[in-house]
Amino acid sequence: MTRAMMLRLSTLWWLAAAVAGCVASHDITPDPDAGRTCPSVDQDLNRGIDWYFPARAGDNEQLERWCVTVGPVVLDTLPAADFGRLEPADSLRIAVWNTDAGAGYVTAFLEEQLGLTCNGSASALHDDAPHFVLLLQEALRRSNDIPDVPKSFVTPPPVKENAHPGPRLDVVEVARQCGLAYFYAPAARNDHKPRDGKREDKGNAILSTLPLSDPIVVELPFEAARRVVPMATVRGVARDSLRLASVHLITTPPPSRALLTGGSSRWRQAMGLAEALRAIERDRANCPVTGVKRASGRGGEMCPPPCPGACPIATVIAGDLNTWSTRETTLRHLLEHFPDSPRFLEEPTRGPFPTDHLLFRTGSGDGAILTSSYRRIADAHYSDHNPIVAVVGIP
């Protein structure tokens, strides 16, 4: 490479960084942009679901185009089966898995890895199996509640699935079949055309043997594709709390986007998530456990003033962060917000890369992840990602 070419490349890199510093905001707000018609925020508030959005107008323009093609958020906060309570001495298993849309054999994973026998309202955990929360990415939903939109709308091609035994079930069907509480937030279509008579979308989900409360969806800053993060809280019998978020960050953006952001796409989404969590804690500080509303008062009663430090509860964010290395900048910055995280797993979870992670913050309690239990599951159950699992003591 000639000296002149190196100089030009260096100039382009610094120009990209300068442009990114000017426009790549990761600010988050509880109030949707004036131009947004999707999602139906007021309707979701009536169901107890709260939303947080990017503040930047350019993000919202793109997110609106993707949002209008998907169906509504689906939520059932109570398990249909009786799995019992989370007692003070009990631990909680947290599993994280990108299911590659319809490819991951979720029912087999629940039985073989989490000890659940699926039988509707008669579903039961095996004798030695603890309560669990399963955080899914690229979860599939098949429903004609998904709008029939023109082909010109943003409808990405379907995820190519590996064949697996058993029926092709979506995440809502699996949750109901297994008696679980569930929360599914779609991000994008899975092709424009119906398959077997039903339209499809994909997003993130939370499945749980424990009741879910305070459901929240965070729309991340737009980077090549729409990403949404469902969050919910589980509690033990002493009202001890753990907030969980299922996260899927962008993979590799197109060159034009990389130039605009200075190569900081994943970092921008991760910092947007961290900012959303700070806003959520401020808005919920000193609020009652039930009937939680934002400090702005939109859609409900106003909260009392925040307490010092926003009184954060213990929080786990986990999912497919699409990292190439455990030394990636995005992970280093996330650790500043989640300092109680276990050591990152170096084992690959997709191809040769350690893409999937779990990060933890104890908040104002003293719970901790039992790091000896934090591991990669070798059987990918027909997905293109290996699941990871950890055991948590709720503070």
Side-chain angles (χ1 to χ4, degrees):
M1 184 181 294
T2 66
R3 182 181 178 86
M5 186 178 294
M6 290 177 65
L7 182 60
R8 283 196 294 270
L9 288 173
S10 176
T11 302
L12 283 172
W13 188 93
W14 283 109
L15 178 61
V19 171
C22 293
V23 302
S25 165
H26 55 264
D27 293 345
I28 297 292
T29 174
D31 298 308
D33 186 83
R36 297 294 298 270
T37 65
C38 177
S40 179
V41 176
D42 291 336
Q43 180 180 336
D44 282 342
L45 280 172
N46 291 333
R47 296 193 291 155
I49 303 170
D50 220 345
W51 280 83
Y52 286 76
F53 304 90
R56 183 171 169 267
D59 287 328
N60 282 284
E61 291 171 7
Q62 295 290 345
L63 292 166
E64 173 80 4
R65 295 176 60 238
W66 287 66
C67 181
V68 295
T69 70
V70 302
V73 168
V74 182
L75 171 69
D76 194 336
T77 59
L78 297 176
D82 183 5
F83 297 108
R85 304 185 304 176
L86 187 69
E87 301 291 344
D90 291 345
S91 56
L92 175 69
R93 188 178 294 174
I94 300 175
V96 184
W97 189 26
N98 181 319
T99 58
D100 195 26
Y105 195 6
V106 181
T107 48
F109 175 83
L110 288 168
E111 179 161 5
E112 295 172 19
Q113 303 298 337
L114 300 181
L116 177 67
T117 298
C118 292
N119 188 21
S121 61
S123 299
L125 289 165
H126 301 174
D127 290 341
D128 58 345
H131 278 285
F132 68 79
V133 178
L134 174 58
L135 304 175
L136 299 175
Q137 299 81 52
E138 282 194 18
L140 176 72
R141 192 255 301 267
R142 307 177 65 245
S143 169
N144 284 333
D145 288 338
I146 299 167
D148 184 12
V149 296
K151 195 172 183 179
S152 59
F153 279 43
V154 181
T155 51
V159 174
K160 186 178 180 181
E161 302 172 13
N162 298 317
H164 69 68
R168 184 174 180 267
L169 300 177
D170 75 8
V171 67
V172 177
E173 291 175 293
V174 169
R176 291 172 177 167
Q177 190 178 95
C178 297
L180 299 168
Y182 57 90
F183 184 19
Y184 167 72
R189 282 292 280 268
N190 190 49
D191 201 12
H192 174 265
K193 297 179 294 185
R195 179 167 175 175
D196 299 327
K198 291 185 179 180
R199 292 182 283 274
E200 297 183 353
D201 58 22
K202 58 190 176 184
N204 292 359
I206 301 174
L207 275 55
S208 174
T209 56
L210 294 168
L212 302 174
S213 61
D214 195 14
I216 303 165
V217 185
V218 176
E219 216 177 26
L220 298 180
F222 184 83
E223 294 291 342
R226 184 170 180 254
R227 295 285 194 253
V228 295
V229 178
M231 300 184 191
T233 299
V234 296
R235 293 183 167 90
V237 294
R239 309 305 293 173
D240 35 7
S241 303
L242 179 68
R243 179 177 288 126
L244 301 111
S246 180
V247 185
H248 189 192
L249 300 185
I250 194 67
T251 51
T252 303
S256 59
R257 189 64 196 168
L259 180 65
L260 182 63
T261 64
S264 61
S265 291
R266 271 193 295 280
W267 174 87
R268 183 170 174 256
Q269 290 187 332
M271 293 303 98
L273 177 59
E275 181 169 320
L277 283 165
R278 286 195 296 269
I280 289 164
E281 287 158 357
R282 286 194 303 269
D283 292 349
R284 280 150 176 75
N286 292 335
C287 287
V289 169
T290 58
V292 174
K293 299 295 180 184
R294 285 199 291 263
S296 65
R298 188 171 65 83
E301 297 178 358
M302 292 185 68
C303 297
C307 59
C311 296
I313 67 171
T315 302
V316 168
I317 68 164
D320 176 10
L321 306 189
N322 270 309
T323 48
W324 298 59
S325 163
T326 57
R327 291 170 291 281
E328 191 169 304
T329 302
T330 298
L331 290 180
R332 294 205 309 270
H333 281 273
L334 281 173
L335 277 178
E336 296 174 6
H337 299 273
F338 297 89
D340 307 301
S341 303
R343 184 185 181 93
F344 291 126
L345 296 177
E346 297 286 347
E347 297 172 276
T349 50
R350 187 189 183 198
F353 305 113
T355 58
D356 302 81
H357 304 281
L358 184 150
L359 293 102
F360 187 78
R361 186 187 59 202
T362 59
S364 49
D366 59 358
I369 285 185
L370 309 180
T371 54
S372 61
S373 70
Y374 184 31
R375 62 185 178 88
R376 167 187 178 270
I377 295 174
D379 189 345
H381 289 274
Y382 301 92
S383 176
D384 59 348
H385 283 251
N386 291 90
I388 58 176
V389 66
V391 176
V392 177
I394 296 187

